[in-house]
Amino acid sequence: MSELLAPAWAATGAGALVDDHALLTAMLAVEVALAESQAELGVIPEEAAKAIRAAAVPGNLDRAAIAEGVRETANPVVAFVAGLTAAVDPAAAEYVHRGSTSQDILDTALMLLCTATLGRVERDLLATAGTLAGHVRAHRDTPMAGRTLTQHAVPVTFGLKAATWLHLVLDAVERIRRARTGLPVSIGGAAGTLAAYDEYGPGAPELPDRVARKLGLARQVLPWHGIRTPIADVASALLVTTGALGKIAADVLVLSRTEIGEVTEERAPGRGASSAMPQKHNPVFATLVATAARQLPPLAVVLFQSMSAEDERSSGGWHAEWQPLRDALRTTAGAAANAVRLAETLRVRPEAMAANLRLTRGAIVSERVNAFLAPKLGKAVAKRLLAEAAVEAERTGADLADVLGADVPPGLLDPAGYTGLAGPLADRALARFEREEF
C-alpha cells in the first residue's frame, strides 16, 4: 500500500490498521468465533472448532488468489473461505463457514477494523486534548486580535481560542466513543433469517450474541445486511472528528502566516523544509490535518448514500462501502496522530499577538468605545462618530485616541482591557476536560 501520495496518514501507522493483512486477520477471527460458538451450541464438533482456530493464520492464505476471487465473485469472502477450508484439517473442513454467508463475515470483520481504528483515534484525541488544555491554562489571559470575516474584530485571548479547539476535540471523543461502543456483530445468513444456521442445529437465535461476546462487539437487534446504520454512524463520527481537527489546522495555518506570526510549529531539522527556498519553515502538521479534513466529506457521502440499499442484501451499495470506509478510517487515524504532533509542537508568540493588536491604532476596541458613548450621544450618533474617527485615523496614521480627543478616557482604548468573558469561558472548556464530561 503506497503512502507516497497519502500525506493525510503516511508514516502514522494508520494504514496498517485497515490494510489487507488486518482485514484477513479480522475475517479469520470472525470465522473462529463463529466455529467456537457453534461448537458450544453443539452444532459442530469441538475438535473441528479447534482445527479451524489452528488453521486461522494469515500466512495460510493466498492473498493473490483472494484478490483474483474478488473479480470473480464481487467480494473477497468466497475465495477466502475456500483458502481457509483448504488449510483446515480435512476432517474439519466441512465445518468451516457453516450456515454463514459472505456478508456476515465481511461486515463483522469491518466492525473489528472500525473498533481498532476508533480506539486509536480516541487515544490520540485525548492526547491532543491534554496538550490543548495546557495551552488554555498558560494563555487564559493572553490577549490577541479576534478575527471575523478575515478582519480584526474585537480582542479575545489565545486561551479562549485554545479552549474552542479543546471543546471541539472533546466533542469528537464523545462521538467516537458512541460509535465504537455501538458497533454490532453481523450474523444473518443468506437473507437475514438465520435459516441455514438454524437448519444445521440448535441455538441459532443465541448464536449472534455468542459471536458478539467473543469478538467484543455489540449485539445485533436484527441482522443488518440491508440496514447500514452502523456504517453511517462510523462515517458521522469520522466526519466530525476530521472537521474538528480541521478547524484547529485552519486557525494555525492562518496564525502562522509570516505577516501574522502569532503561532508557529516548532522548528526541527528538515521539518517544513522547502526543496527550493532555504528560508521556508512550512506548517507541516497543520497542513497534514487540513488535508484529511478536506478528504473526509466525499468519503462520508458515499457511505451515507449506501444506506439506500435495495432488498435484503444490496448489489453495489454494500460493495461501494468497502474502500471509502477503509480510506475514511485510515485518513481519520492519520489526522488524529498528526493532531497530537501539531498540539505538541505549537509555539505561541504573545509578543506578536500584542503587536498585531496595535495594528489598527485602537480601532479594534471601537465596540467598547461605542458602548461608552452611546448613553451620552445616542447609539446611532456614537456609531457614526466612531466610524468617521476610524476612517480619519486610518487616513492620517493617527491613533484613534488622538482623533477622539478628550471625549474618551485613554484607558478605554487598551485592547488588553477588553477581552470580555474570554477567561471564564475558557475555564468552562477546561473544566469539561478535567471532569471528563464527554
Side-chain angles (χ1 to χ4, degrees):
M1 184 183 301
S2 175
E3 300 186 6
L4 296 183
L5 297 179
W9 53 270
T12 63
L17 293 168
V18 293
D19 64 10
D20 288 349
H21 178 80
L23 177 61
L24 291 176
T25 300
M27 291 165 67
L28 289 169
V30 177
E31 291 285 4
V32 169
L34 175 63
E36 291 180 342
S37 296
Q38 289 177 316
E40 292 169 359
L41 293 169
V43 176
I44 71 172
E46 184 177 345
E47 290 304 313
K50 291 180 179 178
I52 292 171
R53 173 174 282 281
V57 178
N60 286 338
L61 300 173
D62 184 341
R63 197 175 302 180
I66 295 173
E68 181 66 26
V70 173
R71 187 177 183 188
E72 298 297 325
T73 62
N75 79 69
V77 181
V78 177
F80 161 81
V81 171
L84 176 58
T85 301
V88 170
D89 185 302
E94 67 178 282
Y95 300 109
V96 173
H97 198 70
R98 175 158 284 203
S100 192
T101 194
S102 295
Q103 195 160 353
D104 287 353
I105 304 305
L106 187 53
D107 276 353
T108 304
L110 289 174
M111 292 299 96
L112 292 178
L113 296 190
C114 288
T115 297
T117 305
L118 294 181
R120 207 192 88 161
V121 168
E122 180 185 340
R123 291 191 295 274
D124 282 343
L125 289 176
L126 290 173
T128 299
T131 304
L132 291 178
H135 287 303
V136 176
R137 296 186 191 99
H139 297 285
R140 178 187 186 274
D141 301 312
T142 301
M144 66 179 295
R147 297 171 172 89
T148 62
L149 281 70
T150 75
Q151 304 297 300
H152 281 202
V154 297
V156 296
T157 69
F158 185 73
L160 180 58
K161 183 173 285 289
T164 302
W165 300 342
L166 174 60
H167 186 59
L168 279 168
V169 170
L170 298 183
D171 281 349
V173 170
E174 190 175 83
R175 286 158 177 78
I176 290 291
R177 285 177 173 172
R178 188 185 309 141
R180 186 169 183 258
T181 57
L183 297 174
V185 72
S186 178
I187 300 293
T193 64
L194 297 172
Y197 291 118
D198 187 52
E199 198 66 30
Y200 276 115
E206 185 185 344
L207 181 63
D209 285 357
R210 283 181 177 264
V211 176
R213 285 195 295 271
K214 289 182 180 295
L215 296 174
L217 296 173
R219 62 182 297 271
Q220 64 180 32
V221 177
L222 292 173
W224 52 278
H225 294 158
I227 308 171
R228 309 312 290 169
T229 314
I231 300 294
D233 285 342
V234 171
S236 177
L238 300 179
L239 190 58
V240 168
T241 298
T242 54
L245 299 178
K247 159 62 176 171
I248 300 172
D251 280 347
V252 170
L253 290 172
V254 168
L255 297 178
S256 62
R257 288 176 181 270
T258 305
E259 61 272 25
I260 297 175
E262 295 179 356
V263 302
T264 184
E265 292 184 18
E266 183 180 51
R267 285 185 177 270
R271 186 191 303 150
S274 164
S275 64
M277 294 166 281
Q279 85 282 6
K280 290 291 292 292
H281 175 223
N282 297 318
V284 175
F285 296 119
T287 298
L288 299 179
V289 173
T291 299
R294 291 173 183 269
Q295 290 179 335
L296 243 292
L299 297 173
V301 166
V302 177
L303 298 176
F304 279 108
Q305 285 176 335
S306 294
M307 289 187 70
S308 302
E310 77 285 359
D311 301 327
E312 280 61 51
R313 290 172 63 196
S314 171
S315 60
W318 175 50
H319 306 70
E321 294 172 347
W322 307 337
Q323 193 61 30
L325 178 61
R326 169 185 274 179
D327 287 342
L329 287 168
R330 64 190 177 191
T331 299
T332 304
N338 286 321
V340 174
R341 298 292 289 125
L342 173 57
E344 290 175 344
T345 63
L346 193 67
R347 297 296 175 261
V348 182
R349 301 180 61 199
E351 70 285 356
M353 295 175 178
N356 289 336
L357 274 171
R358 295 190 294 270
L359 286 176
T360 59
R361 297 173 298 282
I364 195 167
V365 292
S366 294
E367 181 189 62
R368 184 187 197 186
V369 178
N370 189 61
F372 172 79
L373 292 176
K376 304 175 186 299
L377 306 177
K379 185 177 179 180
V381 173
K383 185 175 182 181
R384 185 174 66 252
L385 172 65
L386 281 168
E388 292 171 353
V391 170
E392 179 66 12
E394 184 174 351
R395 185 184 69 81
T396 62
D399 287 345
L400 185 64
D402 295 332
V403 176
L404 292 172
D407 293 333
V408 177
L412 207 65
L413 292 161
D414 177 15
Y418 186 57
T419 55
L421 297 177
L425 289 172
D427 292 341
R428 290 188 179 187
L430 194 57
R432 182 188 181 196
F433 171 71
E434 291 172 341
R435 296 171 188 164
E436 298 186 4
E437 295 174 352
F438 49 90

